[in-house]
Amino acid sequence: MPSFADLSEPVISELRKRRSIKWWWNFVGRTDEEIRKAREEWMTSDRFGEVKGYDGDRLPAPKVPVAHLKARGRVR
């Protein structure tokens, strides 16, 4: 699944209409596991690239809550 940064607002809107998605911090996924994997990749890899013009260290993502994440958008 592409990272949130790769998705335009119209694409996100369409995803919300078509399926149940979960959105936490800056990550979008279909399952809690996808969100946890994205967080892990954010913290340990360069999958998400860098922010041009930002000189500081990468911001750490908060830990994913233990509870199941609630789906956003319209569920059919």
Side-chain angles (χ1 to χ4, degrees):
M1 177 166 238
S3 73
F4 177 75
D6 296 334
L7 300 175
S8 67
E9 188 58 39
V11 171
I12 292 170
S13 271
E14 190 59 29
L15 282 173
R16 284 182 173 164
K17 289 178 190 173
R18 291 180 178 215
R19 69 177 77 171
S20 173
I21 63 169
K22 297 181 179 196
W23 187 334
W24 178 81
W25 200 57
N26 288 331
F27 308 119
V28 176
R30 293 175 295 253
T31 65
D32 289 17
E33 184 56 36
E34 284 183 354
I35 298 293
R36 286 182 174 78
K37 181 179 178 192
R39 182 200 181 266
E40 181 64 25
E41 290 176 350
W42 172 262
M43 299 296 289
T44 62
S45 75
D46 59 358
R47 171 186 169 201
F48 293 97
E50 65 180 78
V51 177
K52 305 285 186 209
Y54 178 69
D55 295 331
D57 292 334
R58 180 183 295 242
L59 297 174
K63 291 185 178 182
V64 179
V66 176
H68 289 289
L69 300 172
K70 182 178 177 182
R72 302 288 179 204
R74 185 171 45 168
V75 178
R76 292 180 187 208

